Amino acid sequence: MQVKPGSRWKSAVDSTEVVVVRPPKGDVSLECGGHPMVALGEAAPEGLTISPDFSGGTSVGKRYVDADSGIELLGSKAGPGSLSVDGRAATLKDAKPLPASD
Amino acid sequence: MQTHLLLEMAAEAIGDREGYTTVEGGLSYAEAFRRAKGGANFLSRFEGDKVVFLGHNGPAFPLALYAAGLAGRPFVPLNYRLADADLRKLVARTAPSVLIADGTMATRVHGVEGVRVVTREAFEAACVDDDNCCAELPFVDQDIAILLFTSGTTGDPKAAVLRHGNLTSYVISTVEFMGAGEDETALVSVPPYHIAGIAAVLTGTYSGRRIAYLHSFAPDAWVQLAHAERVTHAMVVPTMLSRILDAMELLKIELPHLRAVSYGGGRMPAAVIERAMQKLPNVDFVNAYGLTETSSTIAVLGPEDHRQAFASPDEKVRARLGSVGRPLPSLELEIRGPDGKTVLGPRESGEIYVRGEQVAGEYLHKKVLSDDGWFATNDAGWVDEDGYLFVEGRLDDVIVRGGENISPGEIEDVLRQHPSVVDVAVYGLPDDQWGEKVGCSIVCADPRPETAELAQWVQTRLRSTKTPESWDFRAELPYNETGKLLRRVLKVEMTKDIAA
């Protein structure tokens, strides 16, 4: 699938939603709970369940990265499924917040 | 990523929490999101491709900002302090547009071709209209979030372009989502047309830190609001800080809840920050340096840096109190020489360049980023051995005397340390022999010291080439409404004096 920066995706198996902060280098399959995500606003296939291998959960406001493709995602809605890219588990990106400056 | 997703996330995760408040009442994140959608539907019905905002601080400001984003129209907050003629010129440049104006300001901008004026009251009423809130929003592909007119101290104001991606990149890379406790409140008194006012809406929403708005800054009102709303965080420009400290003493109000004060937007005199740290020992101070074109903050001097510098016997460490700290880890910063290419080493003064996703470096119809993404800030500065950045001021303000580059800020800092000096501005004046000479306008307490004494003061601390040759004593110096010293105004006045 083509994954553009700023595009929003929802899980086919749970409540997880993400927004693409940095796009991947090429086409990738973006998955949650082990199944491909769908563009927000489109209908998800029915009858799928979360794969136990991808059930660690996704948090809202956390960033997730896949080093191979360079993609960076932001969790915009939490869910029990975890994110993966072409089957590779996405990893949580360490964020070091700054002291409030605004 | 669009800026209004920040509000949507807060509405989803911490919807019941109060997000924005003024004396007129508060607004939760969920309610703010509902109303912003209502506002977006209302705005979408007007002709035009921009949403202009002319008004004071208050919950209508974040609503209008997010509603404009949801409607896919760039948001253009305007400076209501401009003279009518200048204001109308800017309004005309936004056509075709819809303009939301405070009731008291609407008449000032009526009748500009292509600009439809609605009052803030009408906009707020439309935001709560159920039909508006529930209607589907049309999809608009628009990645410009904000157009912000720069103060235009030289020539016509330029419209800086900030894209959704620049702003959200800044927010998500520097702020922890819902990182603020429920008891945290930030007092925002910078106006809506300042980048700090815009950044405050976005970072406040994302962190979950309630914003208490002051309609516009006044020291007494600031202290009273900070006390009444149990304010924990605040952002001020340097000129506000000393007035706030004065007001606290005069009103005999302590601010026990205040935990963090950030400042930026101009040079902070050492005496003021030292006084603030003494008076408010439990407050974390943060110096933030940034530009409109960089979506706000690009370097930060944090609370620990402040305390270390304040307590250090080492001159070099102590001097960091006058720095803006270190660049954000999410961007790159270089000091370059006059050719714009050579990267300079520690303690070499040059122009500050930055690169990163939050760096917009773009004006309407004119991209000013280099091909490889670097933005020339037009600010002069240098970096010490440990990466602390010292900003010397606008590049154009640097005085070139007989081939030597002289920073006005350095001389101003030295003069401010003189016990009789209240305020001072240093600038270059044309000189037949040296090209430029050092001039200064100065405000002194009574009894006024002799010029020779002040000159001696500078000469023993710096050197003779940096000693002002022209002394202009005044009752006060000109500042713009966001606390920026209008050095150029003085320079022009004094240059005329020489010619005459």
Side-chain angles (χ1 to χ4, degrees), chain B residues 416-441:
Chain B
R416 274 206 193 90
Q417 285 158 18
H418 187 283
S420 302
V421 173
V422 178
D423 203 0
V424 62
V426 169
Y427 40 78
L429 291 172
D431 183 77
D432 291 342
Q433 190 180 357
W434 300 103
E436 272 188 315
K437 65 178 176 184
V438 180
C440 81
S441 293

PDB file of all heavy atoms in Angstrom, chain B residues 416-441:
ATOM      1  N   ARG B 416      24.295  47.735  30.980  1.00  0.00           N
ATOM      2  CA  ARG B 416      23.192  47.439  31.914  1.00  0.00           C
ATOM      3  C   ARG B 416      23.698  47.104  33.310  1.00  0.00           C
ATOM      4  O   ARG B 416      22.980  47.240  34.289  1.00  0.00           O
ATOM      5  CB  ARG B 416      22.355  46.268  31.398  1.00  0.00           C
ATOM      6  CG  ARG B 416      21.279  46.724  30.452  1.00  0.00           C
ATOM      7  CD  ARG B 416      20.105  45.780  30.409  1.00  0.00           C
ATOM      8  NE  ARG B 416      19.304  46.158  29.256  1.00  0.00           N
ATOM      9  CZ  ARG B 416      19.487  45.648  28.049  1.00  0.00           C
ATOM     10  NH1 ARG B 416      20.389  44.703  27.868  1.00  0.00           N
ATOM     11  NH2 ARG B 416      18.770  46.060  27.037  1.00  0.00           N
ATOM     12  N   GLN B 417      24.941  46.630  33.375  1.00  0.00           N
ATOM     13  CA  GLN B 417      25.497  46.310  34.691  1.00  0.00           C
ATOM     14  C   GLN B 417      25.873  47.555  35.488  1.00  0.00           C
ATOM     15  O   GLN B 417      26.106  47.487  36.692  1.00  0.00           O
ATOM     16  CB  GLN B 417      26.727  45.402  34.529  1.00  0.00           C
ATOM     17  CG  GLN B 417      26.341  43.971  34.178  1.00  0.00           C
ATOM     18  CD  GLN B 417      27.478  43.218  33.516  1.00  0.00           C
ATOM     19  OE1 GLN B 417      28.624  43.617  33.615  1.00  0.00           O
ATOM     20  NE2 GLN B 417      27.152  42.127  32.836  1.00  0.00           N
ATOM     21  N   HIS B 418      25.934  48.714  34.819  1.00  0.00           N
ATOM     22  CA  HIS B 418      26.225  49.957  35.534  1.00  0.00           C
ATOM     23  C   HIS B 418      25.027  50.296  36.427  1.00  0.00           C
ATOM     24  O   HIS B 418      23.884  50.246  35.963  1.00  0.00           O
ATOM     25  CB  HIS B 418      26.481  51.085  34.521  1.00  0.00           C
ATOM     26  CG  HIS B 418      26.961  52.354  35.163  1.00  0.00           C
ATOM     27  ND1 HIS B 418      26.114  53.199  35.833  1.00  0.00           N
ATOM     28  CD2 HIS B 418      28.204  52.897  35.263  1.00  0.00           C
ATOM     29  CE1 HIS B 418      26.808  54.225  36.306  1.00  0.00           C
ATOM     30  NE2 HIS B 418      28.091  54.060  35.976  1.00  0.00           N
ATOM     31  N   PRO B 419      25.280  50.624  37.709  1.00  0.00           N
ATOM     32  CA  PRO B 419      24.158  50.804  38.646  1.00  0.00           C
ATOM     33  C   PRO B 419      23.152  51.887  38.242  1.00  0.00           C
ATOM     34  O   PRO B 419      21.993  51.817  38.648  1.00  0.00           O
ATOM     35  CB  PRO B 419      24.861  51.164  39.965  1.00  0.00           C
ATOM     36  CG  PRO B 419      26.276  51.459  39.621  1.00  0.00           C
ATOM     37  CD  PRO B 419      26.586  50.731  38.359  1.00  0.00           C
ATOM     38  N   SER B 420      23.571  52.868  37.436  1.00  0.00           N
ATOM     39  CA  SER B 420      22.640  53.945  37.091  1.00  0.00           C
ATOM     40  C   SER B 420      21.883  53.694  35.791  1.00  0.00           C
ATOM     41  O   SER B 420      20.990  54.451  35.435  1.00  0.00           O
ATOM     42  CB  SER B 420      23.397  55.274  36.946  1.00  0.00           C
ATOM     43  OG  SER B 420      24.066  55.564  38.135  1.00  0.00           O
ATOM     44  N   VAL B 421      22.262  52.651  35.066  1.00  0.00           N
ATOM     45  CA  VAL B 421      21.653  52.446  33.744  1.00  0.00           C
ATOM     46  C   VAL B 421      20.372  51.611  33.878  1.00  0.00           C
ATOM     47  O   VAL B 421      20.376  50.519  34.435  1.00  0.00           O
ATOM     48  CB  VAL B 421      22.650  51.777  32.771  1.00  0.00           C
ATOM     49  CG1 VAL B 421      21.950  51.404  31.465  1.00  0.00           C
ATOM     50  CG2 VAL B 421      23.822  52.714  32.504  1.00  0.00           C
ATOM     51  N   VAL B 422      19.283  52.157  33.370  1.00  0.00           N
ATOM     52  CA  VAL B 422      17.986  51.478  33.432  1.00  0.00           C
ATOM     53  C   VAL B 422      17.755  50.656  32.163  1.00  0.00           C
ATOM     54  O   VAL B 422      17.321  49.522  32.204  1.00  0.00           O
ATOM     55  CB  VAL B 422      16.848  52.517  33.609  1.00  0.00           C
ATOM     56  CG1 VAL B 422      15.495  51.824  33.617  1.00  0.00           C
ATOM     57  CG2 VAL B 422      17.059  53.313  34.897  1.00  0.00           C
ATOM     58  N   ASP B 423      18.053  51.258  31.025  1.00  0.00           N
ATOM     59  CA  ASP B 423      17.834  50.568  29.756  1.00  0.00           C
ATOM     60  C   ASP B 423      18.764  51.179  28.699  1.00  0.00           C
ATOM     61  O   ASP B 423      19.152  52.335  28.830  1.00  0.00           O
ATOM     62  CB  ASP B 423      16.368  50.727  29.313  1.00  0.00           C
ATOM     63  CG  ASP B 423      15.930  49.637  28.348  1.00  0.00           C
ATOM     64  OD1 ASP B 423      16.752  48.755  28.029  1.00  0.00           O
ATOM     65  OD2 ASP B 423      14.768  49.674  27.913  1.00  0.00           O
ATOM     66  N   VAL B 424      19.096  50.390  27.708  1.00  0.00           N
ATOM     67  CA  VAL B 424      20.047  50.890  26.721  1.00  0.00           C
ATOM     68  C   VAL B 424      19.898  50.150  25.399  1.00  0.00           C
ATOM     69  O   VAL B 424      19.523  48.976  25.368  1.00  0.00           O
ATOM     70  CB  VAL B 424      21.503  50.757  27.262  1.00  0.00           C
ATOM     71  CG1 VAL B 424      21.864  49.307  27.525  1.00  0.00           C
ATOM     72  CG2 VAL B 424      22.521  51.374  26.293  1.00  0.00           C
ATOM     73  N   ALA B 425      20.140  50.880  24.321  1.00  0.00           N
ATOM     74  CA  ALA B 425      20.159  50.277  22.983  1.00  0.00           C
ATOM     75  C   ALA B 425      21.410  50.745  22.263  1.00  0.00           C
ATOM     76  O   ALA B 425      21.729  51.935  22.268  1.00  0.00           O
ATOM     77  CB  ALA B 425      18.927  50.695  22.196  1.00  0.00           C
ATOM     78  N   VAL B 426      22.134  49.802  21.668  1.00  0.00           N
ATOM     79  CA  VAL B 426      23.358  50.139  20.932  1.00  0.00           C
ATOM     80  C   VAL B 426      23.146  49.812  19.461  1.00  0.00           C
ATOM     81  O   VAL B 426      22.498  48.817  19.127  1.00  0.00           O
ATOM     82  CB  VAL B 426      24.559  49.352  21.518  1.00  0.00           C
ATOM     83  CG1 VAL B 426      25.785  49.471  20.631  1.00  0.00           C
ATOM     84  CG2 VAL B 426      24.870  49.836  22.934  1.00  0.00           C
ATOM     85  N   TYR B 427      23.654  50.674  18.583  1.00  0.00           N
ATOM     86  CA  TYR B 427      23.455  50.493  17.142  1.00  0.00           C
ATOM     87  C   TYR B 427      24.613  51.150  16.399  1.00  0.00           C
ATOM     88  O   TYR B 427      25.395  51.902  16.991  1.00  0.00           O
ATOM     89  CB  TYR B 427      22.115  51.122  16.704  1.00  0.00           C
ATOM     90  CG  TYR B 427      21.838  52.438  17.399  1.00  0.00           C
ATOM     91  CD1 TYR B 427      22.474  53.607  16.983  1.00  0.00           C
ATOM     92  CD2 TYR B 427      21.010  52.492  18.528  1.00  0.00           C
ATOM     93  CE1 TYR B 427      22.270  54.802  17.652  1.00  0.00           C
ATOM     94  CE2 TYR B 427      20.809  53.685  19.202  1.00  0.00           C
ATOM     95  CZ  TYR B 427      21.437  54.842  18.758  1.00  0.00           C
ATOM     96  OH  TYR B 427      21.271  56.022  19.436  1.00  0.00           O
ATOM     97  N   GLY B 428      24.691  50.868  15.098  1.00  0.00           N
ATOM     98  CA  GLY B 428      25.742  51.469  14.293  1.00  0.00           C
ATOM     99  C   GLY B 428      25.258  52.772  13.657  1.00  0.00           C
ATOM    100  O   GLY B 428      24.103  52.873  13.240  1.00  0.00           O
ATOM    101  N   LEU B 429      26.147  53.753  13.590  1.00  0.00           N
ATOM    102  CA  LEU B 429      25.824  55.008  12.917  1.00  0.00           C
ATOM    103  C   LEU B 429      26.865  55.230  11.827  1.00  0.00           C
ATOM    104  O   LEU B 429      28.018  54.826  11.982  1.00  0.00           O
ATOM    105  CB  LEU B 429      25.852  56.165  13.916  1.00  0.00           C
ATOM    106  CG  LEU B 429      24.750  56.176  14.976  1.00  0.00           C
ATOM    107  CD1 LEU B 429      25.015  57.271  16.010  1.00  0.00           C
ATOM    108  CD2 LEU B 429      23.385  56.376  14.335  1.00  0.00           C
ATOM    109  N   PRO B 430      26.448  55.853  10.715  1.00  0.00           N
ATOM    110  CA  PRO B 430      27.408  56.057   9.629  1.00  0.00           C
ATOM    111  C   PRO B 430      28.591  56.916  10.088  1.00  0.00           C
ATOM    112  O   PRO B 430      28.413  57.859  10.859  1.00  0.00           O
ATOM    113  CB  PRO B 430      26.581  56.771   8.561  1.00  0.00           C
ATOM    114  CG  PRO B 430      25.318  57.192   9.207  1.00  0.00           C
ATOM    115  CD  PRO B 430      25.106  56.343  10.413  1.00  0.00           C
ATOM    116  N   ASP B 431      29.770  56.546   9.622  1.00  0.00           N
ATOM    117  CA  ASP B 431      30.969  57.279  10.025  1.00  0.00           C
ATOM    118  C   ASP B 431      31.926  57.327   8.838  1.00  0.00           C
ATOM    119  O   ASP B 431      32.205  56.294   8.221  1.00  0.00           O
ATOM    120  CB  ASP B 431      31.635  56.563  11.207  1.00  0.00           C
ATOM    121  CG  ASP B 431      32.846  57.323  11.712  1.00  0.00           C
ATOM    122  OD1 ASP B 431      32.642  58.331  12.421  1.00  0.00           O
ATOM    123  OD2 ASP B 431      33.980  56.929  11.382  1.00  0.00           O
ATOM    124  N   ASP B 432      32.395  58.534   8.524  1.00  0.00           N
ATOM    125  CA  ASP B 432      33.245  58.706   7.341  1.00  0.00           C
ATOM    126  C   ASP B 432      34.553  57.934   7.447  1.00  0.00           C
ATOM    127  O   ASP B 432      35.032  57.356   6.484  1.00  0.00           O
ATOM    128  CB  ASP B 432      33.553  60.201   7.122  1.00  0.00           C
ATOM    129  CG  ASP B 432      32.312  60.956   6.699  1.00  0.00           C
ATOM    130  OD1 ASP B 432      31.354  60.273   6.262  1.00  0.00           O
ATOM    131  OD2 ASP B 432      32.276  62.193   6.837  1.00  0.00           O
ATOM    132  N   GLN B 433      35.121  57.907   8.639  1.00  0.00           N
ATOM    133  CA  GLN B 433      36.419  57.274   8.793  1.00  0.00           C
ATOM    134  C   GLN B 433      36.327  55.748   8.910  1.00  0.00           C
ATOM    135  O   GLN B 433      37.070  55.016   8.279  1.00  0.00           O
ATOM    136  CB  GLN B 433      37.103  57.840  10.035  1.00  0.00           C
ATOM    137  CG  GLN B 433      38.558  57.405  10.131  1.00  0.00           C
ATOM    138  CD  GLN B 433      39.223  57.991  11.374  1.00  0.00           C
ATOM    139  OE1 GLN B 433      38.627  58.761  12.139  1.00  0.00           O
ATOM    140  NE2 GLN B 433      40.478  57.628  11.567  1.00  0.00           N
ATOM    141  N   TRP B 434      35.382  55.242   9.709  1.00  0.00           N
ATOM    142  CA  TRP B 434      35.344  53.822  10.038  1.00  0.00           C
ATOM    143  C   TRP B 434      34.226  53.044   9.326  1.00  0.00           C
ATOM    144  O   TRP B 434      34.101  51.850   9.526  1.00  0.00           O
ATOM    145  CB  TRP B 434      35.188  53.637  11.554  1.00  0.00           C
ATOM    146  CG  TRP B 434      36.298  54.251  12.343  1.00  0.00           C
ATOM    147  CD1 TRP B 434      36.260  55.423  13.049  1.00  0.00           C
ATOM    148  CD2 TRP B 434      37.626  53.741  12.481  1.00  0.00           C
ATOM    149  NE1 TRP B 434      37.470  55.673  13.632  1.00  0.00           N
ATOM    150  CE2 TRP B 434      38.336  54.664  13.295  1.00  0.00           C
ATOM    151  CE3 TRP B 434      38.294  52.598  12.003  1.00  0.00           C
ATOM    152  CZ2 TRP B 434      39.674  54.470  13.640  1.00  0.00           C
ATOM    153  CZ3 TRP B 434      39.616  52.409  12.355  1.00  0.00           C
ATOM    154  CH2 TRP B 434      40.306  53.343  13.157  1.00  0.00           C
ATOM    155  N   GLY B 435      33.447  53.745   8.524  1.00  0.00           N
ATOM    156  CA  GLY B 435      32.297  53.078   7.921  1.00  0.00           C
ATOM    157  C   GLY B 435      31.105  53.161   8.860  1.00  0.00           C
ATOM    158  O   GLY B 435      30.066  53.715   8.530  1.00  0.00           O
ATOM    159  N   GLU B 436      31.292  52.603  10.046  1.00  0.00           N
ATOM    160  CA  GLU B 436      30.271  52.740  11.083  1.00  0.00           C
ATOM    161  C   GLU B 436      30.939  53.035  12.411  1.00  0.00           C
ATOM    162  O   GLU B 436      32.078  52.640  12.649  1.00  0.00           O
ATOM    163  CB  GLU B 436      29.454  51.445  11.226  1.00  0.00           C
ATOM    164  CG  GLU B 436      28.263  51.364  10.300  1.00  0.00           C
ATOM    165  CD  GLU B 436      27.368  50.160  10.620  1.00  0.00           C
ATOM    166  OE1 GLU B 436      27.873  49.053  10.830  1.00  0.00           O
ATOM    167  OE2 GLU B 436      26.150  50.356  10.660  1.00  0.00           O
ATOM    168  N   LYS B 437      30.201  53.725  13.282  1.00  0.00           N
ATOM    169  CA  LYS B 437      30.685  53.895  14.655  1.00  0.00           C
ATOM    170  C   LYS B 437      29.590  53.442  15.614  1.00  0.00           C
ATOM    171  O   LYS B 437      28.430  53.285  15.224  1.00  0.00           O
ATOM    172  CB  LYS B 437      31.080  55.349  14.907  1.00  0.00           C
ATOM    173  CG  LYS B 437      29.916  56.324  14.835  1.00  0.00           C
ATOM    174  CD  LYS B 437      30.392  57.727  15.145  1.00  0.00           C
ATOM    175  CE  LYS B 437      29.236  58.726  14.982  1.00  0.00           C
ATOM    176  NZ  LYS B 437      29.679  60.108  15.185  1.00  0.00           N
ATOM    177  N   VAL B 438      29.972  53.223  16.858  1.00  0.00           N
ATOM    178  CA  VAL B 438      29.027  52.724  17.847  1.00  0.00           C
ATOM    179  C   VAL B 438      28.250  53.888  18.467  1.00  0.00           C
ATOM    180  O   VAL B 438      28.843  54.829  18.990  1.00  0.00           O
ATOM    181  CB  VAL B 438      29.761  51.942  18.958  1.00  0.00           C
ATOM    182  CG1 VAL B 438      28.773  51.422  19.999  1.00  0.00           C
ATOM    183  CG2 VAL B 438      30.575  50.795  18.357  1.00  0.00           C
ATOM    184  N   GLY B 439      26.923  53.806  18.358  1.00  0.00           N
ATOM    185  CA  GLY B 439      26.077  54.805  19.000  1.00  0.00           C
ATOM    186  C   GLY B 439      25.184  54.123  20.022  1.00  0.00           C
ATOM    187  O   GLY B 439      24.954  52.919  19.947  1.00  0.00           O
ATOM    188  N   CYS B 440      24.714  54.897  21.006  1.00  0.00           N
ATOM    189  CA  CYS B 440      23.769  54.288  21.939  1.00  0.00           C
ATOM    190  C   CYS B 440      22.727  55.280  22.416  1.00  0.00           C
ATOM    191  O   CYS B 440      22.964  56.480  22.475  1.00  0.00           O
ATOM    192  CB  CYS B 440      24.509  53.640  23.118  1.00  0.00           C
ATOM    193  SG  CYS B 440      25.010  54.751  24.400  1.00  0.00           S
ATOM    194  N   SER B 441      21.540  54.750  22.690  1.00  0.00           N
ATOM    195  CA  SER B 441      20.478  55.509  23.349  1.00  0.00           C
ATOM    196  C   SER B 441      20.312  54.881  24.713  1.00  0.00           C
ATOM    197  O   SER B 441      20.266  53.650  24.829  1.00  0.00           O
ATOM    198  CB  SER B 441      19.173  55.418  22.553  1.00  0.00           C
ATOM    199  OG  SER B 441      19.325  56.079  21.310  1.00  0.00           O
TER     200      SER B 441
END
